[in-house]
Amino acid sequence: MDLVEKALAGDRRALARLLSLIEDDGPQAREALAALHPHTGRAHVVGVTGAPGTGKSTLVNELAKTLRAQGSTVGIVAVDPTSPFTGGAILGDRVRMRDLAGDPGIFIRSMATRGSLGGLARATSDAVKVLDGVGFETVLVETVGVGQAEVDVARTAHTVVVVEAPGLGDDVQALKAGLLEIADILVVNKADRSGAEQTARALEVTLDLGRNNAGDAEAWRPPVIKTVALNGTGVKAVVEAIGAHRAYLRQSGLWDRRERERIRADLMQALEETLVGQLLERVGEEELDRWVERIAARETDVYTAVESLVGLKEHSRASGR
Amino acid sequence: MSKQYRVLIAKPGLDGHDRGAKVVARALRDAGMEVIYTGLRQTPEMIVEAALQEDVDAIGLSILSGAHMTLVPRVLEGLREAGLEDVKVFVGGIIPDEDAETLRKMGVVEIFGPGTSTVTIVEAFRRHLAGG
Ligand code: B12
Ligand SMILES: Nc1nc2c(ncn2[C@@H]2O[C@H](COP(=O)(O)OP(=O)(O)OP(=O)(O)O)[C@@H](O)[C@H]2O)c(=O)[nH]1
Ligand SMILES: [Mg+2]
């Protein structure tokens, strides 16, 4: 496909178009992804997540600068929430990434969640594949500002950086529930503010608790790193930790194992989407409505309807004729 | 589903008046568009680069500093050089009538000054994006 070839040859306009195609989905997107697939699998995908306003974008800006100084090219996908009421979105992460302008080794793309709830957009992992495929060596993925449950990034990224900031109240408590479990690196940003030391210590204690439970001496122990993203303090240590985590993944065999998990998840998702799509096309909206009516009227139930719809049982149509 | 429009709202130059840009960004968001907001102090080159990477359908420039006659032509020229001449460019802020006329001739599709209702602005974006 033309767009893919151009993007592979370094045409940034084509790359941007390709990303739009992926976001809007459809058969062309699938063709493009198929054509790109042989080129993927090389980038180190690093997720940056954390509560709203902790400094994720500012940190991504600094990480990208440091990575560039070390010679790596950097693709960035920054996700912000779509308004559930209007379907619109304000994507503002670029505001903090102005230092990255004008560098041909960097490509930034903002993305709206478009209804996805896990902290990323449905198309984010495919967008990452596109950036990987066209040759970006590191891909940074900034999630929306998350609470505890939005942990999709763990499936998309090799390395997850969880960004904390002091003074968010019971933030460490919240971390325990979800984000801490997916963290490979913990950053306490805004270390210029009071309370950073306490936050870092509380995180260390919580980590050690989890570690004792796991009882695995070989396991990766997430480092806790204090940063001031505003002026770059501590950012080098984060980049080093990202590199160390990559080496750990490679040596332990986790890199390959996680890739297979990711592929399996992608495969399952694609299967579901395709099969459900095919079925709905065959059945049609009206037929579906009739089933809803019959279930509501207690003439039948959801499971019986499904059996009939997928043709497990050769059954009469919902209209009952 | 209708196409999801993507719009870049940018403040070129050293102008710190950002209320209008934010009001317009919010109005377009509320109209269901995806608005990439770049913040203050953007050079024309930065704006063109962001428009390219984000694959936007339109750009809105907010300028209240009086520097529109140097900044807007540079953005338009940059867009042409990048092959982005089909991206619709809107301008708002403090733009005297005679300058507005010149800018329109250069290719700016619409220009709005102080007091314009956001309904009018949203409608203009919708119309031009739909190809009208
Ligand atoms: C508030 C204000 C400020 C605030 C700004 C706060 C902020 N963060 O925005 C402060 C006090 C900081 C300020 C400072 C200055 N200001 Co002042 N300021 C104003 C004032 C009174 C209102 C601007 C405003 O916010 N309006 C409300 C918003 C919602 O309206 P708007 O921006 O016009 O936007 C509307 C339309 O223009 C349009 N629009 C705007 N942008 C866009 C973009 C798109 C894409 C579209 C479609 C539409 C659109 O839609 C909006 C909704 O209707 C204007 C006077 C005026 N009446 O306009 C002077 C004015 C803009 N300021 C002026 C000046 C000179 C200054 C200073 C240089 C003063 C000084 N000597 O220090 C400084 C410069 C600051 C800087 N760094 O740039 C002059 C500019 C003169 C010129 N261009 O020739 C003005 C016109 C006052 C005057 N009559 O002299 N200012
Ligand atoms: N004091 C201080 N402020 C910081 C630091 N890093 C970022 N900030 C500020 O924190 C605010 C939020 O920063 P962002 O980078 O936009 O945070 P974010 O996590 O990306 O925010 P969302 O994407 O909206 O969730 C901005 O005003 C930054 O300037 C820091 O190290 N110290
Ligand atoms: Mg952000």
PDB file of all heavy atoms in Angstrom, chain A residues 253-287:
ATOM      1  N   GLY A 253      14.080 -13.282  29.590  1.00  0.00           N
ATOM      2  CA  GLY A 253      13.169 -13.933  28.652  1.00  0.00           C
ATOM      3  C   GLY A 253      11.759 -13.351  28.695  1.00  0.00           C
ATOM      4  O   GLY A 253      10.879 -13.767  27.954  1.00  0.00           O
ATOM      5  N   LEU A 254      11.580 -12.366  29.585  1.00  0.00           N
ATOM      6  CA  LEU A 254      10.244 -11.767  29.721  1.00  0.00           C
ATOM      7  C   LEU A 254       9.838 -10.990  28.475  1.00  0.00           C
ATOM      8  O   LEU A 254       8.660 -10.882  28.145  1.00  0.00           O
ATOM      9  CB  LEU A 254      10.222 -10.823  30.919  1.00  0.00           C
ATOM     10  CG  LEU A 254       9.751 -11.405  32.253  1.00  0.00           C
ATOM     11  CD1 LEU A 254       9.863 -10.345  33.338  1.00  0.00           C
ATOM     12  CD2 LEU A 254       8.315 -11.902  32.137  1.00  0.00           C
ATOM     13  N   TRP A 255      10.825 -10.415  27.801  1.00  0.00           N
ATOM     14  CA  TRP A 255      10.546  -9.633  26.583  1.00  0.00           C
ATOM     15  C   TRP A 255       9.749 -10.494  25.604  1.00  0.00           C
ATOM     16  O   TRP A 255       8.707 -10.083  25.099  1.00  0.00           O
ATOM     17  CB  TRP A 255      11.857  -9.169  25.970  1.00  0.00           C
ATOM     18  CG  TRP A 255      11.701  -8.322  24.735  1.00  0.00           C
ATOM     19  CD1 TRP A 255      11.445  -8.754  23.474  1.00  0.00           C
ATOM     20  CD2 TRP A 255      11.791  -6.895  24.655  1.00  0.00           C
ATOM     21  NE1 TRP A 255      11.370  -7.696  22.608  1.00  0.00           N
ATOM     22  CE2 TRP A 255      11.577  -6.536  23.305  1.00  0.00           C
ATOM     23  CE3 TRP A 255      12.025  -5.882  25.579  1.00  0.00           C
ATOM     24  CZ2 TRP A 255      11.605  -5.206  22.867  1.00  0.00           C
ATOM     25  CZ3 TRP A 255      12.061  -4.567  25.141  1.00  0.00           C
ATOM     26  CH2 TRP A 255      11.847  -4.237  23.804  1.00  0.00           C
ATOM     27  N   ASP A 256      10.257 -11.693  25.359  1.00  0.00           N
ATOM     28  CA  ASP A 256       9.596 -12.586  24.409  1.00  0.00           C
ATOM     29  C   ASP A 256       8.265 -13.089  24.957  1.00  0.00           C
ATOM     30  O   ASP A 256       7.277 -13.180  24.231  1.00  0.00           O
ATOM     31  CB  ASP A 256      10.500 -13.779  24.094  1.00  0.00           C
ATOM     32  CG  ASP A 256      11.714 -13.343  23.283  1.00  0.00           C
ATOM     33  OD1 ASP A 256      11.598 -12.348  22.535  1.00  0.00           O
ATOM     34  OD2 ASP A 256      12.775 -13.978  23.415  1.00  0.00           O
ATOM     35  N   ARG A 257       8.269 -13.412  26.250  1.00  0.00           N
ATOM     36  CA  ARG A 257       7.032 -13.933  26.817  1.00  0.00           C
ATOM     37  C   ARG A 257       5.930 -12.877  26.762  1.00  0.00           C
ATOM     38  O   ARG A 257       4.812 -13.149  26.392  1.00  0.00           O
ATOM     39  CB  ARG A 257       7.263 -14.373  28.264  1.00  0.00           C
ATOM     40  CG  ARG A 257       6.369 -15.534  28.586  1.00  0.00           C
ATOM     41  CD  ARG A 257       6.552 -16.145  29.964  1.00  0.00           C
ATOM     42  NE  ARG A 257       7.867 -16.045  30.550  1.00  0.00           N
ATOM     43  CZ  ARG A 257       8.056 -15.834  31.857  1.00  0.00           C
ATOM     44  NH1 ARG A 257       7.021 -15.668  32.658  1.00  0.00           N
ATOM     45  NH2 ARG A 257       9.270 -15.795  32.347  1.00  0.00           N
ATOM     46  N   ARG A 258       6.299 -11.621  27.107  1.00  0.00           N
ATOM     47  CA  ARG A 258       5.293 -10.558  27.094  1.00  0.00           C
ATOM     48  C   ARG A 258       4.817 -10.260  25.675  1.00  0.00           C
ATOM     49  O   ARG A 258       3.665  -9.941  25.454  1.00  0.00           O
ATOM     50  CB  ARG A 258       5.851  -9.285  27.729  1.00  0.00           C
ATOM     51  CG  ARG A 258       5.918  -9.388  29.221  1.00  0.00           C
ATOM     52  CD  ARG A 258       6.039  -8.014  29.832  1.00  0.00           C
ATOM     53  NE  ARG A 258       6.229  -8.118  31.270  1.00  0.00           N
ATOM     54  CZ  ARG A 258       6.521  -7.084  32.046  1.00  0.00           C
ATOM     55  NH1 ARG A 258       6.649  -5.882  31.528  1.00  0.00           N
ATOM     56  NH2 ARG A 258       6.668  -7.250  33.333  1.00  0.00           N
ATOM     57  N   GLU A 259       5.737 -10.365  24.733  1.00  0.00           N
ATOM     58  CA  GLU A 259       5.330 -10.116  23.352  1.00  0.00           C
ATOM     59  C   GLU A 259       4.275 -11.132  22.934  1.00  0.00           C
ATOM     60  O   GLU A 259       3.292 -10.800  22.289  1.00  0.00           O
ATOM     61  CB  GLU A 259       6.527 -10.181  22.407  1.00  0.00           C
ATOM     62  CG  GLU A 259       6.064 -10.294  20.954  1.00  0.00           C
ATOM     63  CD  GLU A 259       7.006  -9.679  19.966  1.00  0.00           C
ATOM     64  OE1 GLU A 259       8.211  -9.856  20.146  1.00  0.00           O
ATOM     65  OE2 GLU A 259       6.511  -9.042  19.005  1.00  0.00           O
ATOM     66  N   ARG A 260       4.511 -12.387  23.334  1.00  0.00           N
ATOM     67  CA  ARG A 260       3.526 -13.403  22.972  1.00  0.00           C
ATOM     68  C   ARG A 260       2.193 -13.176  23.670  1.00  0.00           C
ATOM     69  O   ARG A 260       1.137 -13.369  23.078  1.00  0.00           O
ATOM     70  CB  ARG A 260       4.087 -14.794  23.255  1.00  0.00           C
ATOM     71  CG  ARG A 260       4.903 -15.273  22.072  1.00  0.00           C
ATOM     72  CD  ARG A 260       5.938 -16.299  22.391  1.00  0.00           C
ATOM     73  NE  ARG A 260       6.793 -16.534  21.223  1.00  0.00           N
ATOM     74  CZ  ARG A 260       7.726 -15.710  20.796  1.00  0.00           C
ATOM     75  NH1 ARG A 260       7.940 -14.561  21.426  1.00  0.00           N
ATOM     76  NH2 ARG A 260       8.457 -15.977  19.732  1.00  0.00           N
ATOM     77  N   GLU A 261       2.249 -12.737  24.915  1.00  0.00           N
ATOM     78  CA  GLU A 261       1.006 -12.399  25.619  1.00  0.00           C
ATOM     79  C   GLU A 261       0.263 -11.281  24.892  1.00  0.00           C
ATOM     80  O   GLU A 261      -0.956 -11.314  24.738  1.00  0.00           O
ATOM     81  CB  GLU A 261       1.308 -11.942  27.047  1.00  0.00           C
ATOM     82  CG  GLU A 261       1.540 -13.085  28.015  1.00  0.00           C
ATOM     83  CD  GLU A 261       2.095 -12.592  29.349  1.00  0.00           C
ATOM     84  OE1 GLU A 261       1.970 -11.380  29.639  1.00  0.00           O
ATOM     85  OE2 GLU A 261       2.664 -13.430  30.074  1.00  0.00           O
ATOM     86  N   ARG A 262       1.055 -10.309  24.449  1.00  0.00           N
ATOM     87  CA  ARG A 262       0.455  -9.168  23.770  1.00  0.00           C
ATOM     88  C   ARG A 262      -0.167  -9.613  22.445  1.00  0.00           C
ATOM     89  O   ARG A 262      -1.279  -9.219  22.089  1.00  0.00           O
ATOM     90  CB  ARG A 262       1.537  -8.112  23.511  1.00  0.00           C
ATOM     91  CG  ARG A 262       1.005  -6.745  23.244  1.00  0.00           C
ATOM     92  CD  ARG A 262       2.058  -5.669  23.504  1.00  0.00           C
ATOM     93  NE  ARG A 262       3.408  -6.058  23.157  1.00  0.00           N
ATOM     94  CZ  ARG A 262       4.415  -6.130  24.030  1.00  0.00           C
ATOM     95  NH1 ARG A 262       4.222  -5.852  25.280  1.00  0.00           N
ATOM     96  NH2 ARG A 262       5.615  -6.497  23.627  1.00  0.00           N
ATOM     97  N   ILE A 263       0.547 -10.452  21.738  1.00  0.00           N
ATOM     98  CA  ILE A 263       0.023 -10.921  20.457  1.00  0.00           C
ATOM     99  C   ILE A 263      -1.255 -11.728  20.680  1.00  0.00           C
ATOM    100  O   ILE A 263      -2.238 -11.572  19.954  1.00  0.00           O
ATOM    101  CB  ILE A 263       1.082 -11.777  19.724  1.00  0.00           C
ATOM    102  CG1 ILE A 263       2.238 -10.880  19.259  1.00  0.00           C
ATOM    103  CG2 ILE A 263       0.461 -12.509  18.532  1.00  0.00           C
ATOM    104  CD1 ILE A 263       3.420 -11.630  18.690  1.00  0.00           C
ATOM    105  N   ARG A 264      -1.233 -12.557  21.706  1.00  0.00           N
ATOM    106  CA  ARG A 264      -2.430 -13.347  22.006  1.00  0.00           C
ATOM    107  C   ARG A 264      -3.619 -12.428  22.314  1.00  0.00           C
ATOM    108  O   ARG A 264      -4.721 -12.636  21.803  1.00  0.00           O
ATOM    109  CB  ARG A 264      -2.165 -14.285  23.187  1.00  0.00           C
ATOM    110  CG  ARG A 264      -3.373 -15.112  23.602  1.00  0.00           C
ATOM    111  CD  ARG A 264      -3.012 -16.103  24.683  1.00  0.00           C
ATOM    112  NE  ARG A 264      -2.107 -17.142  24.192  1.00  0.00           N
ATOM    113  CZ  ARG A 264      -2.529 -18.271  23.618  1.00  0.00           C
ATOM    114  NH1 ARG A 264      -3.804 -18.512  23.483  1.00  0.00           N
ATOM    115  NH2 ARG A 264      -1.658 -19.158  23.187  1.00  0.00           N
ATOM    116  N   ALA A 265      -3.364 -11.395  23.123  1.00  0.00           N
ATOM    117  CA  ALA A 265      -4.436 -10.451  23.467  1.00  0.00           C
ATOM    118  C   ALA A 265      -4.952  -9.745  22.212  1.00  0.00           C
ATOM    119  O   ALA A 265      -6.156  -9.588  22.023  1.00  0.00           O
ATOM    120  CB  ALA A 265      -3.941  -9.443  24.493  1.00  0.00           C
ATOM    121  N   ASP A 266      -4.029  -9.328  21.351  1.00  0.00           N
ATOM    122  CA  ASP A 266      -4.420  -8.665  20.097  1.00  0.00           C
ATOM    123  C   ASP A 266      -5.251  -9.605  19.233  1.00  0.00           C
ATOM    124  O   ASP A 266      -6.248  -9.214  18.622  1.00  0.00           O
ATOM    125  CB  ASP A 266      -3.183  -8.235  19.309  1.00  0.00           C
ATOM    126  CG  ASP A 266      -2.505  -7.031  19.927  1.00  0.00           C
ATOM    127  OD1 ASP A 266      -3.081  -6.453  20.862  1.00  0.00           O
ATOM    128  OD2 ASP A 266      -1.393  -6.681  19.478  1.00  0.00           O
ATOM    129  N   LEU A 267      -4.789 -10.842  19.186  1.00  0.00           N
ATOM    130  CA  LEU A 267      -5.470 -11.838  18.367  1.00  0.00           C
ATOM    131  C   LEU A 267      -6.894 -12.063  18.880  1.00  0.00           C
ATOM    132  O   LEU A 267      -7.851 -12.092  18.107  1.00  0.00           O
ATOM    133  CB  LEU A 267      -4.670 -13.148  18.408  1.00  0.00           C
ATOM    134  CG  LEU A 267      -5.017 -14.230  17.400  1.00  0.00           C
ATOM    135  CD1 LEU A 267      -4.874 -13.715  15.980  1.00  0.00           C
ATOM    136  CD2 LEU A 267      -4.115 -15.447  17.603  1.00  0.00           C
ATOM    137  N   MET A 268      -7.013 -12.189  20.187  1.00  0.00           N
ATOM    138  CA  MET A 268      -8.337 -12.397  20.782  1.00  0.00           C
ATOM    139  C   MET A 268      -9.258 -11.210  20.479  1.00  0.00           C
ATOM    140  O   MET A 268     -10.405 -11.380  20.112  1.00  0.00           O
ATOM    141  CB  MET A 268      -8.227 -12.570  22.309  1.00  0.00           C
ATOM    142  CG  MET A 268      -7.566 -13.849  22.763  1.00  0.00           C
ATOM    143  SD  MET A 268      -8.324 -15.318  22.070  1.00  0.00           S
ATOM    144  CE  MET A 268      -9.907 -15.259  22.908  1.00  0.00           C
ATOM    145  N   GLN A 269      -8.685 -10.002  20.630  1.00  0.00           N
ATOM    146  CA  GLN A 269      -9.497  -8.816  20.401  1.00  0.00           C
ATOM    147  C   GLN A 269      -9.945  -8.733  18.943  1.00  0.00           C
ATOM    148  O   GLN A 269     -11.105  -8.449  18.645  1.00  0.00           O
ATOM    149  CB  GLN A 269      -8.714  -7.563  20.783  1.00  0.00           C
ATOM    150  CG  GLN A 269      -9.574  -6.307  20.778  1.00  0.00           C
ATOM    151  CD  GLN A 269      -8.762  -5.053  21.039  1.00  0.00           C
ATOM    152  OE1 GLN A 269      -7.703  -5.099  21.664  1.00  0.00           O
ATOM    153  NE2 GLN A 269      -9.257  -3.921  20.551  1.00  0.00           N
ATOM    154  N   ALA A 270      -9.003  -9.025  18.048  1.00  0.00           N
ATOM    155  CA  ALA A 270      -9.338  -8.964  16.627  1.00  0.00           C
ATOM    156  C   ALA A 270     -10.367 -10.036  16.272  1.00  0.00           C
ATOM    157  O   ALA A 270     -11.284  -9.801  15.487  1.00  0.00           O
ATOM    158  CB  ALA A 270      -8.076  -9.134  15.779  1.00  0.00           C
ATOM    159  N   LEU A 271     -10.206 -11.201  16.864  1.00  0.00           N
ATOM    160  CA  LEU A 271     -11.167 -12.276  16.640  1.00  0.00           C
ATOM    161  C   LEU A 271     -12.556 -11.854  17.082  1.00  0.00           C
ATOM    162  O   LEU A 271     -13.542 -12.006  16.356  1.00  0.00           O
ATOM    163  CB  LEU A 271     -10.760 -13.518  17.436  1.00  0.00           C
ATOM    164  CG  LEU A 271      -9.909 -14.568  16.727  1.00  0.00           C
ATOM    165  CD1 LEU A 271      -9.485 -15.642  17.717  1.00  0.00           C
ATOM    166  CD2 LEU A 271     -10.686 -15.190  15.571  1.00  0.00           C
ATOM    167  N   GLU A 272     -12.618 -11.336  18.306  1.00  0.00           N
ATOM    168  CA  GLU A 272     -13.909 -10.900  18.841  1.00  0.00           C
ATOM    169  C   GLU A 272     -14.555  -9.875  17.930  1.00  0.00           C
ATOM    170  O   GLU A 272     -15.720 -10.001  17.559  1.00  0.00           O
ATOM    171  CB  GLU A 272     -13.728 -10.286  20.232  1.00  0.00           C
ATOM    172  CG  GLU A 272     -13.663 -11.314  21.332  1.00  0.00           C
ATOM    173  CD  GLU A 272     -13.267 -10.698  22.661  1.00  0.00           C
ATOM    174  OE1 GLU A 272     -13.569  -9.498  22.867  1.00  0.00           O
ATOM    175  OE2 GLU A 272     -12.650 -11.404  23.477  1.00  0.00           O
ATOM    176  N   GLU A 273     -13.749  -8.845  17.567  1.00  0.00           N
ATOM    177  CA  GLU A 273     -14.301  -7.777  16.745  1.00  0.00           C
ATOM    178  C   GLU A 273     -14.790  -8.318  15.402  1.00  0.00           C
ATOM    179  O   GLU A 273     -15.866  -7.968  14.922  1.00  0.00           O
ATOM    180  CB  GLU A 273     -13.259  -6.684  16.515  1.00  0.00           C
ATOM    181  CG  GLU A 273     -13.117  -5.763  17.709  1.00  0.00           C
ATOM    182  CD  GLU A 273     -11.976  -4.762  17.544  1.00  0.00           C
ATOM    183  OE1 GLU A 273     -11.437  -4.635  16.423  1.00  0.00           O
ATOM    184  OE2 GLU A 273     -11.622  -4.123  18.544  1.00  0.00           O
ATOM    185  N   THR A 274     -13.981  -9.179  14.813  1.00  0.00           N
ATOM    186  CA  THR A 274     -14.323  -9.692  13.485  1.00  0.00           C
ATOM    187  C   THR A 274     -15.550 -10.599  13.549  1.00  0.00           C
ATOM    188  O   THR A 274     -16.478 -10.461  12.746  1.00  0.00           O
ATOM    189  CB  THR A 274     -13.137 -10.471  12.893  1.00  0.00           C
ATOM    190  OG1 THR A 274     -11.975  -9.639  12.960  1.00  0.00           O
ATOM    191  CG2 THR A 274     -13.401 -10.859  11.457  1.00  0.00           C
ATOM    192  N   LEU A 275     -15.544 -11.507  14.503  1.00  0.00           N
ATOM    193  CA  LEU A 275     -16.650 -12.452  14.580  1.00  0.00           C
ATOM    194  C   LEU A 275     -17.961 -11.751  14.930  1.00  0.00           C
ATOM    195  O   LEU A 275     -18.992 -12.001  14.313  1.00  0.00           O
ATOM    196  CB  LEU A 275     -16.338 -13.544  15.609  1.00  0.00           C
ATOM    197  CG  LEU A 275     -15.212 -14.509  15.195  1.00  0.00           C
ATOM    198  CD1 LEU A 275     -14.946 -15.521  16.282  1.00  0.00           C
ATOM    199  CD2 LEU A 275     -15.561 -15.208  13.884  1.00  0.00           C
ATOM    200  N   VAL A 276     -17.902 -10.869  15.902  1.00  0.00           N
ATOM    201  CA  VAL A 276     -19.107 -10.144  16.272  1.00  0.00           C
ATOM    202  C   VAL A 276     -19.580  -9.282  15.110  1.00  0.00           C
ATOM    203  O   VAL A 276     -20.773  -9.226  14.793  1.00  0.00           O
ATOM    204  CB  VAL A 276     -18.873  -9.280  17.536  1.00  0.00           C
ATOM    205  CG1 VAL A 276     -20.047  -8.350  17.777  1.00  0.00           C
ATOM    206  CG2 VAL A 276     -18.636 -10.165  18.751  1.00  0.00           C
ATOM    207  N   GLY A 277     -18.603  -8.642  14.438  1.00  0.00           N
ATOM    208  CA  GLY A 277     -18.946  -7.815  13.287  1.00  0.00           C
ATOM    209  C   GLY A 277     -19.648  -8.614  12.200  1.00  0.00           C
ATOM    210  O   GLY A 277     -20.690  -8.208  11.675  1.00  0.00           O
ATOM    211  N   GLN A 278     -19.071  -9.779  11.903  1.00  0.00           N
ATOM    212  CA  GLN A 278     -19.667 -10.635  10.867  1.00  0.00           C
ATOM    213  C   GLN A 278     -21.075 -11.053  11.248  1.00  0.00           C
ATOM    214  O   GLN A 278     -22.004 -11.024  10.447  1.00  0.00           O
ATOM    215  CB  GLN A 278     -18.818 -11.900  10.696  1.00  0.00           C
ATOM    216  CG  GLN A 278     -17.639 -11.716   9.777  1.00  0.00           C
ATOM    217  CD  GLN A 278     -16.847 -13.001   9.623  1.00  0.00           C
ATOM    218  OE1 GLN A 278     -17.181 -14.005  10.259  1.00  0.00           O
ATOM    219  NE2 GLN A 278     -15.832 -12.969   8.793  1.00  0.00           N
ATOM    220  N   LEU A 279     -21.196 -11.450  12.505  1.00  0.00           N
ATOM    221  CA  LEU A 279     -22.486 -11.933  12.978  1.00  0.00           C
ATOM    222  C   LEU A 279     -23.553 -10.842  12.879  1.00  0.00           C
ATOM    223  O   LEU A 279     -24.649 -11.068  12.374  1.00  0.00           O
ATOM    224  CB  LEU A 279     -22.350 -12.405  14.429  1.00  0.00           C
ATOM    225  CG  LEU A 279     -23.625 -13.056  14.954  1.00  0.00           C
ATOM    226  CD1 LEU A 279     -23.628 -14.529  14.620  1.00  0.00           C
ATOM    227  CD2 LEU A 279     -23.788 -12.833  16.434  1.00  0.00           C
ATOM    228  N   LEU A 280     -23.159  -9.644  13.334  1.00  0.00           N
ATOM    229  CA  LEU A 280     -24.134  -8.554  13.333  1.00  0.00           C
ATOM    230  C   LEU A 280     -24.535  -8.192  11.912  1.00  0.00           C
ATOM    231  O   LEU A 280     -25.676  -7.825  11.647  1.00  0.00           O
ATOM    232  CB  LEU A 280     -23.582  -7.339  14.067  1.00  0.00           C
ATOM    233  CG  LEU A 280     -23.449  -7.522  15.582  1.00  0.00           C
ATOM    234  CD1 LEU A 280     -22.948  -6.241  16.231  1.00  0.00           C
ATOM    235  CD2 LEU A 280     -24.767  -7.950  16.205  1.00  0.00           C
ATOM    236  N   GLU A 281     -23.581  -8.315  11.005  1.00  0.00           N
ATOM    237  CA  GLU A 281     -23.885  -8.021   9.615  1.00  0.00           C
ATOM    238  C   GLU A 281     -24.916  -9.020   9.077  1.00  0.00           C
ATOM    239  O   GLU A 281     -25.844  -8.678   8.376  1.00  0.00           O
ATOM    240  CB  GLU A 281     -22.599  -8.107   8.796  1.00  0.00           C
ATOM    241  CG  GLU A 281     -22.580  -7.205   7.587  1.00  0.00           C
ATOM    242  CD  GLU A 281     -21.165  -7.123   7.043  1.00  0.00           C
ATOM    243  OE1 GLU A 281     -20.330  -6.422   7.649  1.00  0.00           O
ATOM    244  OE2 GLU A 281     -20.916  -7.783   6.025  1.00  0.00           O
ATOM    245  N   ARG A 282     -24.706 -10.276   9.469  1.00  0.00           N
ATOM    246  CA  ARG A 282     -25.593 -11.332   8.997  1.00  0.00           C
ATOM    247  C   ARG A 282     -26.991 -11.199   9.646  1.00  0.00           C
ATOM    248  O   ARG A 282     -28.009 -11.329   8.997  1.00  0.00           O
ATOM    249  CB  ARG A 282     -24.980 -12.701   9.350  1.00  0.00           C
ATOM    250  CG  ARG A 282     -25.750 -13.886   8.841  1.00  0.00           C
ATOM    251  CD  ARG A 282     -24.864 -15.114   8.696  1.00  0.00           C
ATOM    252  NE  ARG A 282     -24.047 -15.397   9.871  1.00  0.00           N
ATOM    253  CZ  ARG A 282     -24.496 -16.043  10.950  1.00  0.00           C
ATOM    254  NH1 ARG A 282     -25.741 -16.442  11.005  1.00  0.00           N
ATOM    255  NH2 ARG A 282     -23.696 -16.276  11.961  1.00  0.00           N
ATOM    256  N   VAL A 283     -26.979 -10.914  10.933  1.00  0.00           N
ATOM    257  CA  VAL A 283     -28.239 -10.886  11.673  1.00  0.00           C
ATOM    258  C   VAL A 283     -29.027  -9.600  11.408  1.00  0.00           C
ATOM    259  O   VAL A 283     -30.234  -9.640  11.191  1.00  0.00           O
ATOM    260  CB  VAL A 283     -27.965 -11.029  13.185  1.00  0.00           C
ATOM    261  CG1 VAL A 283     -29.237 -10.796  13.974  1.00  0.00           C
ATOM    262  CG2 VAL A 283     -27.386 -12.400  13.481  1.00  0.00           C
ATOM    263  N   GLY A 284     -28.320  -8.464  11.447  1.00  0.00           N
ATOM    264  CA  GLY A 284     -28.993  -7.202  11.191  1.00  0.00           C
ATOM    265  C   GLY A 284     -29.593  -6.594  12.441  1.00  0.00           C
ATOM    266  O   GLY A 284     -29.948  -7.290  13.393  1.00  0.00           O
ATOM    267  N   GLU A 285     -29.682  -5.270  12.397  1.00  0.00           N
ATOM    268  CA  GLU A 285     -30.140  -4.488  13.538  1.00  0.00           C
ATOM    269  C   GLU A 285     -31.577  -4.837  13.931  1.00  0.00           C
ATOM    270  O   GLU A 285     -31.903  -4.987  15.104  1.00  0.00           O
ATOM    271  CB  GLU A 285     -30.031  -2.998  13.163  1.00  0.00           C
ATOM    272  CG  GLU A 285     -29.931  -2.059  14.327  1.00  0.00           C
ATOM    273  CD  GLU A 285     -28.641  -2.253  15.132  1.00  0.00           C
ATOM    274  OE1 GLU A 285     -27.564  -2.444  14.537  1.00  0.00           O
ATOM    275  OE2 GLU A 285     -28.759  -2.242  16.358  1.00  0.00           O
ATOM    276  N   GLU A 286     -32.422  -5.010  12.932  1.00  0.00           N
ATOM    277  CA  GLU A 286     -33.854  -5.254  13.231  1.00  0.00           C
ATOM    278  C   GLU A 286     -34.045  -6.581  13.937  1.00  0.00           C
ATOM    279  O   GLU A 286     -34.813  -6.682  14.898  1.00  0.00           O
ATOM    280  CB  GLU A 286     -34.664  -5.246  11.935  1.00  0.00           C
ATOM    281  CG  GLU A 286     -34.884  -3.852  11.407  1.00  0.00           C
ATOM    282  CD  GLU A 286     -35.562  -3.871  10.045  1.00  0.00           C
ATOM    283  OE1 GLU A 286     -36.279  -4.860   9.753  1.00  0.00           O
ATOM    284  OE2 GLU A 286     -35.366  -2.910   9.287  1.00  0.00           O
ATOM    285  N   GLU A 287     -33.341  -7.572  13.447  1.00  0.00           N
ATOM    286  CA  GLU A 287     -33.435  -8.887  14.061  1.00  0.00           C
ATOM    287  C   GLU A 287     -32.973  -8.813  15.519  1.00  0.00           C
ATOM    288  O   GLU A 287     -33.592  -9.403  16.411  1.00  0.00           O
ATOM    289  CB  GLU A 287     -32.564  -9.873  13.263  1.00  0.00           C
ATOM    290  CG  GLU A 287     -32.445 -11.262  13.849  1.00  0.00           C
ATOM    291  CD  GLU A 287     -33.694 -12.124  13.638  1.00  0.00           C
ATOM    292  OE1 GLU A 287     -34.641 -11.637  13.007  1.00  0.00           O
ATOM    293  OE2 GLU A 287     -33.691 -13.265  14.130  1.00  0.00           O
TER     294      GLU A 287
END
